[in-house]
Amino acid sequence: MHSRQDGLMIDAKEKKIELSPEQPFEEVLELVQPMITTILLKCHVYKNYDYYRHIAAIGVWEAWQKADPTKGKFSSYIYTTVKGRIMQELTVEKRYVSNCTLMEDETLNVLRTHDGLLEEGHSTELVEMLFESLTKEEVKLLQLFYLDGYNYREIALQLSVSVDAVKKRRMRIITKIKGVL
């Protein structure tokens, strides 16, 4: 489908399809499905596709609710609103991924054992051996991640290094621990 200057949507067979804020929402949503697909492809959305389709539907709802025919074409307003919502959500996801660390159970359990948080009777010989192979800075980094719950950005600020440096150090430490195990 292509948008024309008169605010109508045209499909490949040149059939005119009216698109106006006076139409029921369900009808508008159905008519803009090809537009949503195009936007998702342009934004390079290839995972969580259904989730982003849902975000797009919310964008269509917002555009339908706030549309003012005196201010421009309804189809253009829908396009910019939907694309804006998707871009906003992609930014939120990117920020989350860069700031949060998923904890591996093994690493967290090793740290808790080393810190004496497990019940008595568990052997700490393995833990001591692991921590002997790590420098004080490496232990501090793991403590900030797994015990204190800091994210990459917070650790980078505390250690006066870049976020990328913190990520690389963490991966090296995990690789080092796996090698010892």
Side-chain angles (χ1 to χ4, degrees):
M1 290 193 152
H2 305 289
S3 178
R4 289 188 6 188
Q5 287 182 331
D6 57 4
L8 299 176
M9 299 296 288
I10 308 292
D11 69 3
K13 296 178 185 175
E14 292 297 319
K15 292 181 184 175
K16 291 185 180 185
I17 301 172
E18 284 291 322
L19 193 59
S20 74
E22 288 81 31
Q23 291 173 284
F25 171 72
E26 293 78 15
E27 185 178 331
V28 171
L29 183 60
E30 185 64 34
L31 292 173
V32 297
Q33 287 303 312
M35 179 193 295
I36 291 172
T37 301
T38 301
I39 293 169
L40 291 173
L41 291 174
K42 284 184 180 181
C43 292
H44 305 289
V45 174
Y46 300 110
K47 60 180 181 176
N48 299 331
Y49 199 75
D50 290 334
Y51 174 73
Y52 284 99
R53 273 209 168 279
H54 181 72
I55 295 298
I58 292 170
V60 173
W61 173 259
E62 289 173 353
W64 183 75
Q65 289 284 318
K66 298 177 184 177
D68 183 358
T70 63
K71 292 188 178 182
K73 295 184 289 183
F74 183 49
S75 61
S76 298
Y77 185 58
I78 289 175
Y79 184 89
T80 55
T81 304
V82 169
K83 188 170 183 183
R85 291 286 287 161
I86 290 171
M87 295 300 288
Q88 181 182 25
E89 194 63 29
L90 287 169
T91 302
V92 168
E93 182 180 340
K94 183 179 178 183
R95 189 177 307 128
Y96 175 80
V97 168
S98 70
N99 287 338
C100 293
T101 304
L102 296 177
M103 293 186 231
E104 296 176 14
D105 288 338
E106 289 177 26
T107 308
L108 184 58
N109 289 335
V110 165
L111 287 169
R112 285 184 176 153
T113 303
H114 181 267
D115 218 31
L117 298 175
L118 287 181
E119 298 173 14
E120 288 185 34
H122 287 81
S123 174
T124 59
E125 293 174 11
L126 176 62
V127 174
E128 292 301 321
M129 182 182 71
L130 287 173
F131 278 90
E132 286 175 4
S133 68
L134 300 175
T135 66
K136 289 181 182 179
E137 291 81 19
E138 291 170 333
V139 172
K140 175 74 174 171
L141 185 75
L142 290 177
Q143 179 183 357
L144 291 171
F145 266 118
Y146 298 110
L147 295 176
D148 299 338
Y150 286 28
N151 63 35
Y152 285 119
R153 187 176 41 81
E154 293 167 335
I155 293 172
L157 289 172
Q158 187 161 352
L159 299 178
S160 301
V161 296
S162 70
V163 172
D164 286 335
V166 173
K167 288 179 181 180
K168 288 178 186 176
R169 287 179 186 180
R170 178 184 167 270
M171 290 310 299
R172 282 190 212 121
I173 293 168
I174 290 173
T175 302
K176 193 174 186 180
I177 289 173
K178 286 180 180 178
V180 171
L181 292 175

